Amino acid sequence: MKTPLNPPQVQAVRHVDGPLLVLAGAGSGKTRVITHKIAWLVRECGHAPGNIGAVTFTNKAAREMKSRVAALLGPRDGRGLMVSTFHSLGLRILQRDHAHLGYRSGFSIFDAEDARGVMRELLRSAGTDADQDGERLQWRISAWKSDMVSPEQAISKAADDTEHHQALLYAEYQRHLQAYNAFDFDDLIVRPVQLLAEQPDVREYWQNRLRYLLVDEYQDTNTSQYDLLRQLTGVRARFTVVGDDDQSIYAWRGARPENLHRLSEDYPTLRVIKLEQNYRSTARILRSANALIAGNPHLFDKQLWSTLGDGDPLRVIRSRDADTEVTRIAGEIIQHRFHKRTAFSDYAILYRGNHQARPFEKALREHQIPYRINGGNSFFDKAEIKDLMAYLRLLVNPDDNSAFLRIINTPRRQIGASTLEKLGAYAGQRDISLVAACGEMGLGEYLAERNLQRVREFSQWLDDMTRMAAREPVANVARRVLHETDYEAWLLETSRDPVRTEKRMASLAELVEWLGKLAAREEMDGRLDRVLAHLSLMGILDRQADDDGGDQVQLMTLHAAKGLEFDHVFMVGMEEGLLPHQASIDAETIEEERRLCYVGITRARRSLTLSWAAHRRRAGDTVECEPSRFLAELPTADVVWEDPTRPVDPEVRAAKGRAHLATLRDLLAND
């Protein structure tokens, strides 16, 4: 197979006889290796595409991988190939084998908001402050699940009364999920691992279904994801994992970079191939990245290199204070763009925490520089989308109390909080769902006749819609829900803004069209439950609109920048206490902060500017700042520390003046 691969990449593609770790440095072409290996497995090794699985962490990465494989194999030769996220793969396993766990078809997938609602209910019942302790409990349970700790194990290993209380709530939380016929996001990995470990027939099916497995971003896997890999590949161990320990920056959400070491222990025949040639950045940027990350301990050493030439030195600029820093960066972008005739989208401003974005937004607006903040609201976060999804979820899973509570008064049905409280008490006493409680004769002892009638009218309508949903096309079901609830009239009544209502209805029309297209896919089989499970997972994984933002400067955290690249990068707030973060300094855990800085440096293709402020306001006081220790770890030959007192370039001053005039003209035009 003729490919544009370098020798280590060729070795990685052609090694198929045992477990393989590809240690892929930043910008070294790891996706190219994975996609070419899939093509090699199909064309040269005779594997059927349907017996190959490729797993990554985001929908965007999965889509890109699918697109590249299709370009190599063609749509016909690649038919049946499973390219997905970890959680999408887990969902497939649960859709086939959920009955072994005591679940019924049509189960719901709870996002963070749904899960938080269940936890608030549990905390209130336990007499605990639901608002204060809910998020803490959510993180704790997620960490237990990521580490494959069951409720029973959490209870038995509790170190103190607080942890014991949390473990008991964990057990109760899982019981509620089972009662609601629902899985949360973490369950999409944990429960498949449980199935594969405990059910030999299930394990045999999936090991035969996936005869070769490829895993991207392996350094970001947690314990449960590692266990899923082991269960799926079995004793044959036919897998390739691709990762970079230097880019492991998600320990705070459960990632275990030590999984790289576990591989070498669990698979003695593991082969390691290093990809060190970088196709993205200039040599000065790479030498700086190598020098920085050398401060961390390594299981496998590597040195990035490039044939793209030395390039410009890295620049370190010092500003008097935070206000001066943001103005300076805006001016730098104006100046550089003026001289180089670049696009705004060639630039990125990277920072450690989201709170650092606001002053940069203000400065960019003042200088008429278009920008986009990475991490805006998702299509799935719109209230109208959540409403329709909740109606549809309830049609396939009447035990979904979260969906019931969202739409019982959307639109209003004059079912008040007191009625819902009594309904909830009755359902809790009978240990049944809210929908089931609506139809029970005993409910009449709890509710006044008028309120009982309203609740039962809604319950009857749900029954009628559920029967209709079983025989009608998915898109028709959604349209009928909107029509019969008179949702558009309710939007207009509540917003009193025809233009806004029109936009919200357009979003719903887009969702309905999407539902129809998804239902037509072969793997969906026209089933509403499968379509909803797919969309629910997409909503969790893609919490921002899927567009490129146009010609705009990109603002984002260093965590969000991973996997991206830009011609010109500004890393700001390079100070002790910001990067590295004070919490890591206090805990003496600097290694991940150094990896985060390394990720930022390796996002830059052509130029990198690192900025820090001598003074910054913190907690209402102005404090003196020290430059980040990471700046001192960069090679002096490749870095220029610029004098902050140098005169302003006259062309920059003129460009700023033109920007201010444009702003003034816009203001006058809008008066």
Side-chain angles (χ1 to χ4, degrees), residues 414-457:
Q414 296 182 306
I415 300 173
S418 176
T419 300
L420 289 175
E421 186 176 348
K422 292 174 183 177
L423 176 64
Y426 178 78
Q429 179 183 331
R430 297 274 294 122
D431 198 21
I432 57 177
S433 71
L434 294 172
V435 170
C438 289
E440 290 215 341
M441 294 296 296
L443 185 61
E445 298 178 13
Y446 285 72
L447 299 182
E449 182 62 32
R450 193 172 182 183
N451 294 333
L452 180 64
Q453 182 181 351
R454 289 170 181 152
V455 166
R456 287 191 168 154
E457 283 177 356

Side-chain angles (χ1 to χ4, degrees), residues 284 288 291 313-314 631-641:
R284 288 186 190 274
S288 298
L314 281 67
L631 295 176
E633 297 177 8
L634 303 178
T636 55
D638 293 314
V639 179
V640 174
W641 289 66

Side-chain angles (χ1 to χ4, degrees), residues 126 344 422 555 561 662:
F344 284 117
K422 292 174 183 177
L555 275 68

Side-chain angles (χ1 to χ4, degrees), residues 292-559:
L292 174 77
I293 206 63
N296 276 3
H298 286 83
L299 181 63
F300 307 102
D301 289 322
K302 65 179 184 304
Q303 289 285 311
L304 296 179
W305 58 276
S306 169
T307 60
L308 300 178
D310 267 0
D312 297 332
L314 281 67
R315 299 166 58 223
V316 176
I317 58 176
R318 170 191 177 277
S319 298
R320 183 176 62 254
D321 53 35
D323 291 338
T324 308
E325 179 186 42
V326 297
T327 303
R328 176 85 180 270
I329 297 300
E332 292 280 345
I333 292 174
I334 291 172
Q335 177 186 23
H336 193 272
R337 187 169 177 271
F338 181 81
H339 285 303
K340 303 294 185 181
R341 298 293 187 265
T342 52
F344 284 117
S345 56
D346 292 333
Y347 300 89
I349 300 174
L350 309 182
Y351 36 78
R352 176 64 175 83
N354 279 311
H355 67 280
Q356 295 171 256
R358 188 177 298 274
F360 284 97
E361 287 188 79
K362 183 174 183 290
L364 295 177
R365 283 198 303 267
E366 289 176 351
H367 290 89
Q368 292 289 289
I369 299 174
Y371 68 89
R372 176 175 183 258
I373 295 183
N374 184 291
N377 286 337
S378 165
F379 176 78
F380 295 96
D381 286 332
K382 296 178 179 180
E384 62 272 17
I385 300 300
K386 281 180 168 286
D387 289 343
L388 180 54
M389 290 285 287
Y391 271 108
L392 298 177
R393 280 166 50 184
L394 206 55
L395 295 183
V396 300
N397 180 15
D399 292 333
D400 191 337
N401 283 357
S402 178
F404 179 92
L405 291 171
R406 181 174 185 91
I407 53 86
I408 183 63
N409 274 313
T410 306
R412 294 189 186 94
R413 297 182 175 87
Q414 296 182 306
I415 300 173
S418 176
T419 300
L420 289 175
E421 186 176 348
K422 292 174 183 177
L423 176 64
Y426 178 78
Q429 179 183 331
R430 297 274 294 122
D431 198 21
I432 57 177
S433 71
L434 294 172
V435 170
C438 289
E440 290 215 341
M441 294 296 296
L443 185 61
E445 298 178 13
Y446 285 72
L447 299 182
E449 182 62 32
R450 193 172 182 183
N451 294 333
L452 180 64
Q453 182 181 351
R454 289 170 181 152
V455 166
R456 287 191 168 154
E457 283 177 356
F458 178 65
S459 175
Q460 183 59 53
W461 178 81
L462 278 178
D463 285 344
D464 295 341
M465 289 297 297
T466 300
R467 285 192 292 272
M468 183 274 294
R471 60 179 185 272
E472 286 286 323
V474 169
N476 288 359
V477 175
R479 292 189 189 97
R480 187 160 169 183
V481 167
L482 294 173
H483 174 72
E484 295 205 5
T485 58
D486 206 4
Y487 191 83
E488 183 173 6
W490 180 76
L491 286 181
L492 189 57
E493 176 191 342
T494 52
S495 70
R496 301 188 184 281
D497 182 349
V499 175
R500 176 167 169 72
T501 297
E502 186 178 343
K503 288 181 179 178
R504 296 178 74 179
M505 290 304 297
S507 293
L508 288 168
E510 182 181 345
L511 175 60
V512 171
E513 182 182 1
W514 196 0
L515 289 167
K517 289 180 178 178
L518 282 173
R521 290 185 182 178
E522 182 179 352
E523 67 270 22
M524 298 298 172
D525 196 29
R527 290 173 50 177
L528 180 59
D529 59 337
R530 292 192 174 182
V531 171
L532 290 181
H534 176 81
L535 281 180
S536 295
L537 183 54
M538 285 193 69
I540 295 170
L541 292 171
D542 283 347
R543 284 301 177 189
Q544 70 175 69
D546 188 23
D547 60 67
D548 60 11
D551 188 21
Q552 298 173 312
V553 174
Q554 304 294 301
L555 275 68
M556 66 187 71
T557 65
L558 289 161
H559 284 99

Side-chain angles (χ1 to χ4, degrees), residues 211-273:
R211 292 180 173 272
Y212 201 97
L213 196 63
L214 303 100
V215 180
D216 191 16
E217 302 289 5
Y218 177 74
Q219 76 283 345
D220 293 335
T221 56
N222 58 31
T223 300
S224 62
Q225 288 158 342
Y226 180 78
D227 287 351
L228 183 63
L229 167 69
R230 294 203 68 192
Q231 293 287 353
L232 288 172
T233 55
V235 294
R236 290 181 300 211
R238 292 175 183 164
F239 65 78
T240 294
V241 299
V242 183
D244 181 6
D245 53 341
D246 291 333
Q247 295 188 75
S248 180
I249 58 174
Y250 294 116
W252 54 276
R253 71 181 189 195
R256 296 285 180 263
E258 58 268 26
N259 283 348
L260 288 162
H261 184 64
R262 285 186 66 187
L263 271 180
S264 60
E265 291 179 334
D266 292 339
Y267 299 95
T269 61
L270 179 74
R271 183 175 178 187
V272 179
I273 295 174

Side-chain angles (χ1 to χ4, degrees), residues 557-623:
T557 65
L558 289 161
H559 284 99
K562 186 171 176 294
L564 304 177
E565 55 187 72
F566 307 93
D567 279 355
H568 310 289
V569 170
F570 293 86
M571 288 176 61
V572 301
M574 293 292 297
E575 300 142 30
E576 290 290 294
L578 278 178
L579 186 66
H581 195 276
Q582 190 62 46
S584 294
I585 296 173
D586 294 341
E588 299 183 354
T589 54
I590 301 297
E591 287 82 4
E592 182 153 328
E593 295 291 298
R594 186 175 283 109
R595 292 195 291 267
L596 194 57
C597 186
Y598 173 86
V599 165
I601 290 172
T602 54
R603 298 313 94 195
R605 287 192 286 244
R606 300 179 63 184
S607 76
L608 175 63
T609 302
L610 305 119
S611 170
W612 70 284
H615 297 88
R616 195 176 293 274
R617 289 187 66 80
R618 292 179 185 167
D621 297 323
T622 299
V623 298

